[in-house]
Amino acid sequence: AVSIASGYPLLGKAPTATCPVLYVDWETDAWIHAERLQALCKGPSPEIDLAAMQPILYRAQAAPFASSARALKRMATEHGVGFIVIDSRGVAAGGELERSEATLELFRAVRAMMIPCLLVDHISKEGMGNSKSKTPYGNIYAHNSSRLTWSVTKAQEAGATRLTVALTNHKSNNGKLNGRLAYHL
């Protein structure tokens, strides 16, 4: 979201365009979101100027995404949003994740937005111990309905301020799988 709003090439990749971003959040609050956003902008050298970048609009959410999709679409249209982050897919679905209907309804609503969306998710218990199988929690439609999936793994020693983050591409509908990426932060 920071890269798309600022144009800054975070994690070695520059966005092709900048635009306002909508961050729809079921897990934290505006204060934590603002704190994380400021920390991300202070990390690079030189720092990213938060005031100069496109806005990252924040929306705390309680109702399922599908039931709020029209209001979110109006908000996105009003502000010229070109990218949406949904945190997290499981809660945004608003139903039993083991059953298919809640997941399918969420993906239908996401598709109807006609705006690229990143859905943050949690992996299943089975995927936690298996580096090759990092499937999202719930039924198979969480993975099958996604066009592109990545897993993010963090390694950090207790008390350390430096950490390593590895990104692994598990699915790519419209091209080849990307190689594994790792970053020290």
Side-chain angles (χ1 to χ4, degrees):
V2 169
S3 184
I4 290 170
S6 70
Y8 188 87
L10 290 175
L11 302 178
K13 304 284 183 184
T16 56
T18 61
C19 61
V21 174
L22 175 59
Y23 195 102
V24 189
D25 189 0
W26 282 260
E27 295 194 348
T28 61
D29 57 38
W31 183 84
I32 291 173
H33 170 78
E35 182 180 72
R36 289 177 179 169
L37 179 59
Q38 289 172 4
L40 283 168
C41 289
K42 288 181 181 178
S45 180
E47 290 184 15
I48 298 170
D49 183 358
L50 188 57
M53 60 191 244
Q54 298 282 336
I56 298 179
L57 306 164
Y58 178 84
R59 168 99 178 224
Q61 194 71 19
F65 184 85
S67 65
S68 304
R70 286 188 180 154
L72 292 168
K73 177 71 172 179
R74 277 193 305 275
M75 181 181 182
T77 301
E78 178 182 325
H79 294 282
V81 167
F83 187 71
I84 299 173
V85 178
I86 296 172
D87 186 6
S88 74
R89 191 261 329 161
V91 187
E96 293 181 53
L97 297 179
E98 294 79 12
R99 303 177 66 101
S100 61
E101 191 51 39
T103 298
L104 291 172
E105 185 176 6
L106 169 66
F107 277 95
R108 284 190 294 267
V110 165
R111 183 173 176 88
M113 295 295 283
M114 299 187 65
I115 298 171
C117 293
L118 167 68
L119 283 73
V120 177
D121 207 348
H122 301 274
I123 60 171
S124 65
K125 285 183 182 179
E126 295 80 25
M128 286 184 160
N130 182 350
S131 64
K132 295 186 188 258
S133 176
K134 299 286 187 194
T135 57
Y137 180 78
N139 70 66
I140 193 67
Y141 286 108
H143 178 75
N144 289 354
S145 297
S146 300
R147 293 187 181 195
L148 183 66
T149 64
W150 289 81
S151 65
V152 179
T153 308
K154 175 182 93 165
Q156 182 178 20
E157 292 184 26
T161 57
R162 184 178 171 105
L163 61 102
T164 301
V165 177
L167 291 91
T168 307
N169 185 195
H170 295 283
K171 179 181 176 183
S172 180
N173 280 6
N174 299 324
K176 65 180 183 165
L177 290 176
N178 293 283
R180 191 168 194 210
L181 305 170
Y183 300 94
H184 298 289
L185 307 170

